[in-house]
Amino acid sequence: MAGERSPEALAQACAAAMWAQDRASQGLGMRIERVGPGEAVLSMRVREDMTNGHGLCHGGFIFALADSAFAFACNAYDAVTVAQHCAVTFLRPGRLGETLIAHAVERARGGRSGLYDVTVRDAEDRVVAEFRGHSRTIGGSFVTPDDGERPSPAGREPAGS
């Protein structure tokens, strides 16, 4: 049962359930490196089809990596949560062949709202981007006491992650 799991085990169970349905992150080649309560680390190798007209990683892919890390961090409590607002600041380019690593950390959470910071770094530990995400819990869960299956938050139209 979700209530009987440690916070770390619950976060991992939620991540596994979410990952099973996350075609976007999987399709971009992302990997979950670590997940815990209010925290997640995801990585992504910059492929040729992710580069822009300057030969650099398109900012949308960097944003997507940060957004996915944010999503796994804020969904670690068995309550379906989406992005309410996100902002990113790009500090250096990502380059073809680099592995980018996004580390999401919860800064505040209360009621249905949360605040998360995500730092995206390259393999040499240089900051590529800083991302801030505001989350909103919409109802539903990933891990149920009955069968461990994720119920569908039917009738909801989330605005993001």
Side-chain angles (χ1 to χ4, degrees), residues 67 70 83-87 108 114-118 131-135:
D67 185 47
F70 162 53
Q84 180 179 39
H85 171 77
C86 301
L115 183 65
Y116 295 79
D117 287 331
V118 184
F131 171 107
R132 175 157 273 193
H134 300 252
S135 68

Side-chain angles (χ1 to χ4, degrees), residues 71-96:
F72 281 94
C74 68
N75 278 284
Y77 301 103
D78 200 25
V80 176
T81 303
V82 297
Q84 180 179 39
H85 171 77
C86 301
V88 66
T89 301
F90 300 106
L91 300 167
R92 72 172 301 278
R95 301 190 185 279
L96 178 63

Side-chain angles (χ1 to χ4, degrees), residues 11-29:
Q12 291 169 7
C14 292
M18 202 168 122
W19 182 256
Q21 301 299 315
D22 189 346
R23 302 296 181 251
S25 297
Q26 290 177 32
L28 292 173

